[in-house]
Amino acid sequence: MCLADEIKRRNNVKIIGKGQKTLLLAHGFGCDQNMWRFLIASLADNFTIVLFDYVGSGASDISQYSKQRYSNLDGYAQDVIDICDALQLSKVVFVGHSVSSMIGAIAANKKPEYFSNLIMICPSPCFLNDPPDYAGGFETQDLLELLSIMNKNYIGWANYLAPLVLGDSNTHEFMRELSGSFCSTDPVIAKTFAEATFLSDHRHLLTDINQPTLIFQSQNDALAAVTVGEYMHKRIPHSKLSVIAADGHCLHMTHPNEIAQIIIEYLQ
């Protein structure tokens, strides 16, 4: 098996559609490519869509997981770059949910020629508060306690986090799916990814993003407030902020038609 085929198998890469412009969809923490299914229905007629699972998530090859590589977001960004290499992609539109927004920014900083645009759904460059200039939403101790619960009661942690992520107004079906997705991830891998997600600070990258960037923020999001989107919009040079009247952190699942329409109009 050649290296390109190994990468496609490793990351469970799938390609849908035959549009001239390619969208690379990158799932968030505790999720997999299946979470994009509601958005794909509206986008497949207009674009070629590349789906994948980060190593350690979904149907990826877990034997390729390395705690050293994936202890920070750079390892996940290398997954993205590897996939672009394997598929010989250039000028791709990177669509990232949550932490994948910053993973995409890291990848675009390393290989700018691979990416024409970044689209960020409910992003946060830093979940930690840094007063007086930045409100990430959480104190360090709060996040450390959340991570500690993962060790003591992983199922309980998943059942607690799912409604926090989705918002109380969204369906129990989505909450069960998200909780189940969290639970299906190896706890050791999940904790390492959680630490890389919630304890990192990538605010310094924002001013270096040269690709035109569309930022989606939910009006009521317990993980990333509108002020976080406004902070990013001010610092990313060629950015547009779209605030959606919605609850929760998963707009691609709860408001797929609205998100898809804005993406289509933006890229046209």
Side-chain angles (χ1 to χ4, degrees):
M1 187 182 293
C2 69
L3 179 59
D5 287 339
E6 286 182 6
I7 290 168
K8 287 186 277 188
R9 182 182 61 82
R10 182 193 74 185
N11 289 99
N12 188 30
V13 174
K14 296 176 182 173
I15 302 172
I16 298 171
K18 296 181 179 179
Q20 287 189 325
K21 196 178 289 290
T22 298
L23 307 187
L24 178 60
L25 273 53
H27 64 82
F29 164 76
C31 299
D32 60 26
Q33 61 180 262
N34 189 50
M35 302 298 182
W36 293 109
R37 66 189 185 278
F38 304 104
L39 199 60
I40 290 169
S42 300
L43 294 177
D45 290 339
N46 296 277
F47 306 101
T48 296
I49 297 172
V50 177
L51 299 165
F52 72 97
D53 297 325
Y54 290 116
V55 173
S57 301
S60 65
D61 182 359
I62 198 170
S63 71
Q64 298 298 307
Y65 183 81
S66 159
K67 187 172 182 179
Q68 181 178 6
R69 170 167 169 153
Y70 296 105
S71 62
N72 59 60
L73 299 188
D74 288 63
Y76 294 99
Q78 189 59 51
D79 274 10
V80 171
I81 292 169
D82 289 349
I83 291 165
C84 290
D85 284 335
L87 299 180
Q88 298 182 319
L89 297 176
S90 64
K91 301 300 180 185
V92 70
V93 178
F94 181 90
V95 184
H97 171 230
S98 190
V99 65
S100 273
S101 299
M102 298 319 300
I103 291 171
I106 295 169
N109 189 32
K110 290 182 177 180
K111 293 284 188 178
E113 66 274 18
Y114 286 9
F115 306 96
S116 65
N117 299 78
L118 301 181
I119 296 177
M120 303 179 172
I121 300 176
C122 301
S124 174
C126 179
F127 288 95
L128 295 164
N129 294 326
D130 184 18
D133 299 322
Y134 182 76
F138 298 90
E139 298 297 334
T140 303
Q141 190 59 37
D142 295 333
L143 291 178
L144 291 176
E145 287 177 5
L146 189 63
L147 293 170
S148 177
I149 294 172
M150 293 181 76
N151 288 331
K152 298 173 184 174
N153 181 2
Y154 186 68
I155 302 298
W157 168 85
N159 291 332
Y160 165 78
L161 191 63
L164 187 71
V165 170
L166 274 168
D168 292 333
S169 68
N170 290 307
T171 68
H172 291 293
E173 181 184 348
F174 281 158
M175 290 184 191
R176 284 193 298 271
E177 179 179 352
L178 191 60
S179 178
S181 181
F182 290 158
C183 292
S184 68
T185 306
D186 180 282
V188 174
I189 292 174
K191 187 168 189 290
T192 303
F193 197 179
E195 290 172 345
T197 298
F198 293 114
L199 300 180
S200 61
D201 184 353
H202 291 92
R203 288 176 290 168
H204 61 282
L205 287 180
L206 300 180
T207 54
D208 294 332
I209 296 174
N210 292 317
Q211 292 81 1
T213 302
L214 174 60
I215 303 166
F216 286 106
Q217 214 76 27
S218 176
Q219 203 163 47
N220 298 296
D221 183 349
L223 295 186
V226 172
T227 53
V228 172
E230 292 170 345
Y231 178 95
M232 296 178 69
H233 175 46
K234 288 178 182 177
R235 285 159 180 78
I236 298 174
H238 311 289
S239 64
K240 177 181 178 180
L241 175 63
S242 181
V243 178
I244 306 299
D247 291 330
H249 194 63
C250 299
L251 292 172
H252 56 308
M253 295 175 68
T254 61
H255 293 71
N257 294 335
E258 187 173 355
I259 297 300
Q261 189 58 42
I262 295 172
I263 288 175
I264 291 168
E265 292 173 359
Y266 175 74
L267 293 176
Q268 285 175 345

